[in-house]
Amino acid sequence: MQAIKDKHLVKTHSYINGQWHKSHSTFAVTNPATSKIITTVDNAGIVEANLAVRSAKSALQSWSAMSAHQRATILRNWFNLMVEHQDDLARILTLEQGKPLAEAKGEIAYGASFVEWFAEEGKRVYGDTIAAPSADKRIVVLKQAIGVVAAITPWNFPNAMIARKAAAALAAGCTFVVRPSEQTPLSALAMAELAHRAGIPEGVFNVVVGEDAKAIGEVLTQHPDVAKFTFTGSTAVGKTLIGQCASTVKKVSMELGGNAPFIVFDDADIDAAVDGAIASKYRNAGQTCVCSNRIFVDESVLAQFTEKFSQAVAKLKLGNGLEQTTDVGPMISAQAVSKVEQLVKSSVDEGATVILGGKVEPVGSSFYQPTILANVSPEMPIATNEIFGPVAPIIAFRGEAEVIAMANNTPYGLAAYFYARDIGRIWRVAEALEYGMVGINEGIISNAAAPFGGMKQSGNGREGSKYGLDDYLEVKYLCMGGLAK
Ligand code: SIN
């Protein structure tokens, strides 16, 4: 904490209606690398969540009535401040989340890029005119801000998942209430401090930090003044939240779990595939929804890929994210490590082989070694569950048809990756994969210009890109009649 230059970025109260809001109790925020308490934060609950929704409702009229250009200027200020304070924001993020500092800086740039993107995109909301069925009528379509937006965001990207939702909502003219994960509240509060400095008016952006996810979540999903609810997190929790939103028929967008296949065909550039698999699998210690979860390798290149991949993974240095030499940081908690340990153990019991790693690192209970499993079959627990940890299970396949069937045999449909060079195969496989996002000869696919989102039980709606505003806009049709002389 001492190394943070702008100490005012470290906030410990919820940010509601442009003010820092005290609560009656506190909770601790822990550094996953050391298990030490970083600070305590005021523990908001139902009262604060209701207050935040009321504030967002009061601010809605004036914010949505501003021109898109005025909103863009304010959002641009927010973007500039995030870039200016990138180092401090990254350090706060690493301290509470664990990812290596270079990755955390990358996340701040990634989060800020959504604010910049939507500041611009908000100016390009177009309506429509439609030929009417009779000469005395005109049909006009308007796009208007949907209203108050509530969000619940996860700990794995404590900055970018808020920025991706809030920037789109605010650019569209909506006001916003977010409940960040209780494991990473400090990044959200630092964003609120910068939103304040950027001139985002009171009530437009609110952050409610509290341990009681269920109670706050019930307010945000059931409050009649919330028009739209958005969530990033597990499919199981997403289903519950969708159910809760039904009572007030809210518009919902969900970015849920994944089980990404990463396919290496026999015509792939193997070195490129190794680099892509490492980037996709070990980013954020394997704790991303788009992480490769099952690595399928054509049996004719299995030995070659496995050897090169193992050599490269063996070089990854596990450690505290604040140390410059660290490639892979801790997992978020010892419980998260136990879940991964259990998946590895049960798969080894069913015949998988650990060819690298496979243990909790002695330096601390949150560190799990970068791991590779061979002889994995698609039915094993490591292949059917979202691992959310630094474990790469390798599954052999024979031919396109077999691997497409295996890749699609999951309720999830977020991201998929494949490496191949034959152009016919590239089109066939890209079209056959039942996934919202497909990386072709590419292991990192997320950016502000591209539509992020999933099919099947990985969710609905798209974030980022020109499509990202749609989830925050209502389509209103005006029928103008009586035009005949
Ligand atoms: C996620 O894991 O939910 C987001 C990953 C990304 O934006 O790349």
Side-chain angles (χ1 to χ4, degrees):
M1 283 289 225
Q2 285 89 329
I4 292 165
K5 291 197 203 79
D6 185 342
K7 300 281 189 269
H8 295 293
L9 290 175
V10 182
K11 296 290 185 202
T12 53
H13 302 103
S14 290
Y15 180 74
I16 301 171
N17 206 26
Q19 281 162 16
W20 301 101
H21 195 91
K22 280 194 183 299
S23 305
H24 295 303
S25 61
T26 59
F27 65 97
V29 184
T30 307
N31 180 341
T34 60
S35 304
K36 294 208 172 101
I37 293 175
I38 306 166
T39 186
T40 56
V41 168
D42 269 36
N43 192 11
I46 294 176
V47 172
E48 291 84 353
N50 276 303
L51 188 63
V53 172
R54 269 206 304 282
S55 307
K57 180 76 178 171
S58 308
L60 182 64
Q61 208 286 325
S62 56
W63 180 251
S64 61
M66 271 187 186
S67 74
H69 279 76
Q70 286 171 311
R71 287 196 294 267
T73 305
I74 297 173
L75 287 172
R76 183 88 206 173
N77 294 343
W78 199 21
F79 161 76
N80 287 336
L81 285 164
M82 283 170 71
V83 172
E84 187 187 325
H85 294 282
Q86 186 180 13
D87 286 347
D88 278 349
L89 295 173
R91 187 165 282 272
I92 291 170
L93 202 160
T94 293
L95 279 167
E96 65 179 353
Q97 200 273 345
K99 68 178 66 173
L101 207 46
E103 259 190 60
K105 280 181 79 170
E107 179 179 338
I108 303 303
Y110 179 48
S113 75
F114 289 104
V115 181
E116 181 184 45
W117 175 267
F118 283 114
E120 294 303 322
E121 209 55 21
K123 299 176 195 164
R124 289 185 272 275
V125 172
Y126 301 114
D128 226 340
T129 57
I130 300 173
S134 63
D136 66 335
K137 287 194 175 63
R138 299 290 181 270
I139 295 175
V140 176
V141 175
L142 302 182
K143 300 241 183 109
Q144 293 183 314
I146 190 162
V148 173
V149 173
I152 295 184
T153 53
W155 50 262
N156 62 341
F157 287 86
N159 175 292
M161 294 305 100
I162 297 175
R164 188 154 77 185
K165 295 177 192 301
L170 267 54
C174 302
T175 54
F176 192 82
V177 178
V178 60
R179 189 255 173 206
S181 165
E182 72 281 8
Q183 283 158 305
T184 55
L186 301 178
S187 293
L189 296 174
M191 288 173 80
E193 167 64 14
L194 295 181
H196 193 82
R197 292 185 201 174
I200 293 181
E202 55 190 41
V204 171
F205 179 75
N206 304 276
V207 181
V208 178
V209 290
E211 267 189 317
D212 195 342
K214 185 167 180 292
I216 299 173
E218 279 172 4
V219 174
L220 300 186
T221 51
Q222 291 171 5
H223 200 298
D225 285 341
V226 173
K228 191 233 152 79
F229 179 77
T230 171
F231 172 67
T232 295
S234 72
T235 295
V237 174
K239 287 180 184 176
T240 303
L241 296 172
I242 293 170
Q244 289 173 194
C245 285
S247 65
T248 47
V249 196
K250 294 190 198 322
K251 185 165 177 170
V252 292
S253 54
M254 295 277 147
E255 201 258 273
L256 306 177
N259 184 359
F262 184 104
I263 307 168
V264 184
F265 284 102
D266 55 2
D267 60 333
D269 174 337
I270 298 296
D271 292 328
V274 165
D275 290 348
I278 288 181
S280 156
K281 178 70 251 183
Y282 297 103
R283 171 183 177 222
N284 202 13
Q287 303 170 113
T288 82
C289 304
V290 290
C291 268
S292 302
N293 209 60
R294 298 166 291 161
I295 302 193
F296 293 104
V297 186
D298 186 287
E299 59 178 18
S300 66
V301 291
L302 182 65
Q304 192 192 357
F305 175 85
T306 305
E307 194 192 333
K308 289 187 172 197
F309 184 56
S310 310
Q311 279 169 4
V313 176
K315 290 190 190 133
L316 296 177
K317 183 151 176 349
L318 188 63
N320 186 323
L322 291 179
E323 283 155 22
Q324 277 213 331
T325 49
T326 295
D327 298 306
V328 179
M331 294 184 64
I332 190 68
S333 63
Q335 292 95 297
V337 169
S338 303
K339 193 198 128 203
V340 169
E341 257 189 309
Q342 193 47 48
L343 283 177
V344 170
K345 186 181 171 317
S346 47
S347 302
V348 167
D349 289 348
E350 291 182 23
T353 321
V354 176
I355 57 173
L356 191 77
K359 291 200 171 62
V360 180
E361 187 82 2
V363 290
S365 57
S366 297
F367 289 90
Y368 196 80
Q369 296 172 340
T371 296
I372 303 176
L373 298 185
N375 300 318
V376 174
S377 68
E379 303 76 31
M380 288 180 181
I382 201 76
T384 53
N385 289 277
E386 187 176 28
I387 305 167
F388 237 64
V391 180
I394 298 182
I395 304 169
F397 72 88
R398 271 193 222 177
E400 241 173 81
E402 184 184 64
V403 76
I404 287 169
M406 289 197 291
N408 286 340
N409 188 19
T410 163
Y412 298 107
L414 190 58
Y417 308 84
F418 69 93
Y419 278 68
R421 280 184 291 206
D422 177 89
I423 190 69
R425 164 176 283 170
I426 286 175
W427 278 105
R428 281 192 304 276
V429 175
E431 289 176 3
L433 288 170
E434 295 164 356
Y435 288 84
M437 298 174 282
V438 180
I440 304 165
N441 297 322
E442 185 56 64
I444 297 288
I445 53 176
S446 313
N447 62 75
F452 190 104
M455 298 179 178
K456 293 157 77 176
Q457 294 187 28
S458 287
N460 51 35
R462 292 294 178 268
E463 296 189 331
S465 81
K466 68 171 181 171
Y467 306 102
L469 281 180
D470 293 347
D471 272 301
Y472 300 94
L473 293 166
E474 282 286 14
V475 172
K476 183 187 280 178
Y477 146 55
L478 310 181
C479 181
M480 306 177 71
L483 301 182
K485 273 206 189 155

